[in-house]
């Protein structure tokens, strides 16, 4: 896909103008074919001009960006959310594998998002939107000092073949493979994603996952036993042994104790 036909949907005139100027300056392959200042106008606009890319604000008077997408039986266009949300929302977007740009929009991030959109044929799936909304709701009420259980939480893992929707309780560990991250699962083959382990460390930070080593993030629910040592080792439910780095040992053991107390597994 070389040419992108885009529409801008945002209730702030200044935001639409700023994005328009950036796109014209940095992304000449993007043709802006319409603008709308609310969800209802945006729905009509999309139906009329049939864009293949939509820059969509989340919070608008009346209906939200989510309401707009929910009005379509199939979202067969690319979506890049533009939002003023900060840290809590970033984690939610990464959970869902949906593209986003934080306001004020960074030129480099805009170019990267547009470049990525060129190779994407499918739009946003209902599962991605559901995961996004679940984690937006969860992270808004979550204090930084708290960890949440992994129950009923899902994560979207984008690969070359498509997007895999995985229950977090099914993730045993995440392993660094250079620029890639390998997800070891309870059932089925491992899933390899072209994102750094550091990014998933940030995503999973408020849940019962912990980066025990520079190469591994483990799910505390799948630890069978801990073996003492300089840093120690953990044995996982799939019988793999993972080293715990010495500098992470104290924090890890504290979190492991907290997990067992909160989960009721500590006898």
């Amino acid at each position: 896909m070389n040419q992108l036909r885009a529409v801008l949907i945002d209730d702030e005139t200044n935001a639409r103008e700023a994005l328009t100027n950036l796109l014209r300056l940095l992304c000449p392959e993007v043709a802006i074919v319409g603008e709308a200042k609310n969800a209802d106008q945006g729905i009509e606009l999309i139906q009329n001009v049939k864009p293949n890319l939509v820059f969509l604000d989340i919070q608008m008077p009346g209906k939200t960006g989510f309401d707009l997408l929910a009005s379509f039986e199939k979202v067969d266009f690319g979506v890049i959310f533009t939002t003023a949300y900060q840290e809590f929302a970033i984690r939610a977007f990464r959970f869902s594998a949906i593209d986003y740009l934080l306001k004020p929009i960074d030129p480099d991030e805009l170019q990267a998002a547009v470049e990525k959109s060129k190779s994407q044929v499918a739009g946003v799936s209902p599962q991605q939107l559901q995961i996004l909304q679940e984690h937006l709701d969860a992270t808004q009420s979550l204090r930084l000092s708290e960890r949440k259980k992994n129950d009923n939480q899902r994560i979207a893992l984008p690969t070359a073949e498509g997007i895999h929707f995985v229950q977090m309780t099914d993730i045993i560990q995440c392993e660094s493979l250079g620029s890639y991250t390998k997800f070891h699962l309870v059932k089925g083959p491992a899933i390899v994603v072209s994102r750094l382990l550091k990014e998933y460390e940030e995503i999973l930070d408020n849940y019962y996952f912990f980066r025990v080593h520079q190469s591994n993030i483990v799910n505390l629910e799948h630890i069978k036993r801990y073996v003492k040592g300089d840093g120690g080792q953990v044995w996982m439910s799939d019988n793999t042994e993972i080293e715990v780095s010495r500098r992470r040992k104290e924090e890890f053991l504290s979190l492991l104790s907290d997990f067992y107390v909160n989960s009721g597994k500590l006898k």
Side-chain angles (χ1 to χ4, degrees):
M1 182 187 298
N2 295 319
Q3 184 71 30
L4 290 171
R5 303 176 68 255
V7 298
L8 282 53
I9 304 173
D10 195 313
D11 64 299
E12 298 178 2
T13 303
N14 291 342
R16 297 198 306 273
E17 290 177 349
L19 181 54
T20 297
N21 291 334
L22 283 174
L23 287 169
R24 287 174 177 169
L25 180 64
L26 302 172
C27 307
E29 69 274 32
V30 177
I32 301 172
V33 295
E35 297 183 16
K37 63 181 181 180
N38 58 50
D40 286 330
Q41 288 184 8
I43 293 168
E44 184 178 358
L45 178 63
I46 292 170
Q47 291 171 335
N48 290 336
V49 306
K50 294 178 170 54
N52 46 31
L53 180 60
V54 174
F55 290 92
L56 180 61
D57 190 17
I58 295 179
Q59 294 293 348
M60 295 179 285
K63 297 178 181 178
T64 68
F66 298 131
D67 295 327
L68 178 148
L69 294 176
S71 70
F72 291 90
E73 185 175 341
K74 181 181 180 182
V75 180
D76 55 1
F77 45 85
V79 178
I80 299 176
F81 278 108
T82 57
T83 174
Y85 286 142
Q86 293 299 321
E87 291 181 9
F88 76 89
I90 294 174
R91 184 176 288 108
F93 280 109
R94 288 176 176 173
F95 260 111
S96 63
I98 296 177
D99 283 335
Y100 67 95
L101 293 168
L102 285 178
K103 299 176 182 178
I105 293 173
D106 179 89
D108 291 336
E109 293 179 359
L110 173 62
Q111 287 180 293
V114 168
E115 190 64 31
K116 184 178 177 182
S117 296
K118 294 179 187 177
S119 60
Q120 291 181 335
V121 178
V124 175
S125 72
Q127 294 97 322
Q128 284 175 282
L129 285 172
Q130 185 177 354
I131 291 173
L132 175 60
Q133 289 180 296
E134 287 173 358
H135 287 281
L136 279 174
D137 292 341
T139 51
Q140 285 187 70
S141 60
L142 183 64
R143 295 197 302 270
L144 293 177
S145 60
E146 294 179 326
R147 297 250 178 180
K148 288 177 66 82
K149 293 182 179 180
N150 306 329
D151 297 348
N152 301 318
Q153 298 288 346
R154 294 177 297 160
I155 186 170
L157 303 177
T159 68
E161 295 77 32
I163 298 175
H164 300 262
F165 300 99
V166 176
Q167 291 285 343
M168 288 169 59
T169 50
D170 291 337
I171 300 171
I172 298 172
Q173 65 143 318
C174 311
E175 178 186 6
S176 173
L177 300 177
S179 298
Y180 296 82
T181 298
K182 184 176 183 179
F183 285 77
H184 297 259
L185 306 175
V186 173
K187 298 178 182 178
I191 297 174
V192 178
V193 180
S194 60
R195 293 183 179 177
L196 295 172
L197 187 67
K198 173 65 176 176
E199 181 172 333
Y200 285 106
E201 180 183 16
E202 295 171 356
I203 292 175
L204 299 169
D205 182 56
N206 282 336
Y207 294 84
Y208 281 121
F209 287 80
F210 188 79
R211 189 167 184 172
V212 295
H213 189 272
Q214 66 179 20
S215 299
N216 304 91
I217 296 173
V218 300
N219 183 343
L220 272 61
E221 293 184 285
H222 285 283
I223 294 176
K224 291 174 65 176
R225 65 188 176 111
Y226 168 75
V227 180
K228 294 180 180 180
D230 192 21
Q233 296 86 33
V234 287
W235 285 86
M236 307 303 294
S237 60
D238 60 353
N239 293 318
T240 55
E241 180 182 359
I242 300 172
E243 179 183 354
V244 179
S245 70
R246 182 171 58 182
R247 68 185 184 87
R248 297 176 184 267
K249 177 180 178 180
E250 184 176 345
E251 184 181 358
F252 167 68
L253 291 178
S254 174
L255 179 60
L256 188 62
S257 175
D258 176 59
F259 165 70
Y260 274 94
V261 169
N262 290 338
S263 64
K265 296 181 180 181
L266 187 64
K267 303 298 182 182

